Amino acid sequence: RETELFLEAQVRDDAVVTDLLSANYTFVNDRLAAHYSIPNVQGGEFRKVTFGDNRRGGLLGQGTLLTVTSFNNRTSAVVRGKYIRELLLGVPNPVMPPNVPALREPEAPMSYRSRIEQHRKNPVCSTCHASFEPLGIALENFDGIGRWRTTDGGEGVDPSGVLVDGTTLTGPADLRAALLERREAVVSSLTEKVLSFAIGRNLEFYDMASVRRIVAGATDLKWSSVLIGIVTSTSFQMTRLP
């Protein structure tokens, strides 16, 4: 419900589409506020609240996304990183090589980061992981259902990492900033997803011209510009004959 209300407000207010990542507000009721440690929220009705710090912001701080990118018993920097890379940046993830060993359950309490670092010692794993894992590690302060935490498995949470281009991340705020520096890729990926939904099929190579025109025309990056660009595009208004 939080995510539905958040997206509804973004479109209704004609926000800049990158506010999906940077907005400093969300919608909560008393139970969700307690889950997020937001004070002074009473009652079951959802209402807009502004964050007092930079821990949360946009979709990447919402329990919806953080839960669906976790396993039932732990977080997964791999799943979260691949989600961000493919769905937010529009970059295809590498194909996992065959016979990669699964992440082993530890014999003693151990943080997820320590476990994944052991897994990454395998050279077959390390190359692929470097391309998406730091994106997910930056969200390790959020547990599997989106609560903020400072410890995991008896160890302090370390959300730091380095992207393949050398950008250093120290947590969720840095991750949001890094994504906003790549706003053209984010807007392009978002446009692809909404256009695909609008025309009811996967995009083909010939649709990419429409995507480029829509992004180029949305100079103010507002939802109205993107949506008008979609409904006036060739891909939306015409169909290919067999």
Side-chain angles (χ1 to χ4, degrees):
R1 185 64 181 144
E2 173 193 17
T3 303
E4 289 173 348
L5 290 170
F6 176 74
L7 293 172
E8 200 174 279
Q10 289 277 299
V11 177
R12 182 183 62 243
D13 298 340
D14 197 19
V16 174
V17 295
T18 50
D19 278 0
L20 287 175
L21 301 176
S22 62
N24 68 339
Y25 65 87
T26 192
F27 293 82
V28 299
N29 61 2
D30 53 354
R31 292 179 62 192
L32 188 56
H35 187 68
Y36 289 166
S37 299
I38 299 174
N40 305 320
V41 176
Q42 299 179 354
E45 182 180 350
F46 278 77
R47 80 292 310 265
K48 184 178 180 179
V49 297
T50 302
F51 298 123
D53 54 42
N54 64 354
R55 290 179 176 179
R56 297 185 189 273
L59 291 173
L60 294 180
Q62 295 186 10
T64 305
L65 186 143
L66 295 165
T67 300
V68 300
T69 54
S70 297
F71 292 121
N72 63 347
N73 62 341
R74 62 170 174 82
T75 59
S76 174
V78 171
V79 177
R80 288 177 175 177
K82 292 173 74 173
Y83 182 97
I84 293 169
R85 177 183 160 105
E86 185 163 351
L87 295 183
L88 296 183
L89 293 173
V91 180
N93 286 302
V95 178
M96 187 173 68
N99 303 320
V100 173
L103 193 63
R104 292 186 299 177
E105 292 296 325
E107 297 179 358
M110 180 185 298
S111 71
Y112 173 79
R113 178 163 190 142
S114 295
R115 294 171 62 188
I116 202 70
E117 285 177 350
Q118 288 186 353
H119 177 76
R120 205 170 52 230
K121 289 179 180 179
N122 184 334
V124 176
C125 303
S126 60
T127 303
C128 285
H129 278 245
S131 65
F132 51 72
E133 189 179 292
L135 297 167
I137 284 288
L139 297 175
E140 269 299 286
N141 278 118
F142 296 114
D143 70 9
I145 52 176
R147 291 174 300 197
W148 185 264
R149 62 180 180 178
T150 56
T151 61
D152 175 33
E155 302 177 28
V157 171
D158 178 8
S160 63
V162 180
L163 302 181
V164 291
D165 66 355
T167 301
T168 301
L169 305 180
T170 60
D174 284 347
L175 174 60
R176 291 194 298 271
L179 292 172
L180 291 174
E181 288 179 1
R182 298 155 178 80
R183 65 181 67 242
E184 186 173 339
V186 172
V187 175
S188 179
S189 182
L190 172 73
T191 300
E192 290 180 31
K193 305 301 183 296
V194 180
L195 177 59
S196 177
F197 175 80
I199 62 180
R201 61 171 174 80
N202 292 328
L203 299 190
E204 302 291 347
F205 69 90
Y206 46 78
D207 295 305
M208 300 317 295
S210 290
V211 173
R212 289 191 292 271
R213 290 192 190 98
I214 295 165
V215 174
T219 53
D220 57 5
L221 299 182
K222 289 191 173 183
W223 274 99
S224 58
S225 299
V226 172
L227 295 177
I228 290 172
I230 286 173
V231 299
T232 57
S233 68
T234 301
S235 294
F236 184 85
Q237 294 199 353
M238 304 184 74
T239 185
R240 287 176 65 90
L241 294 174

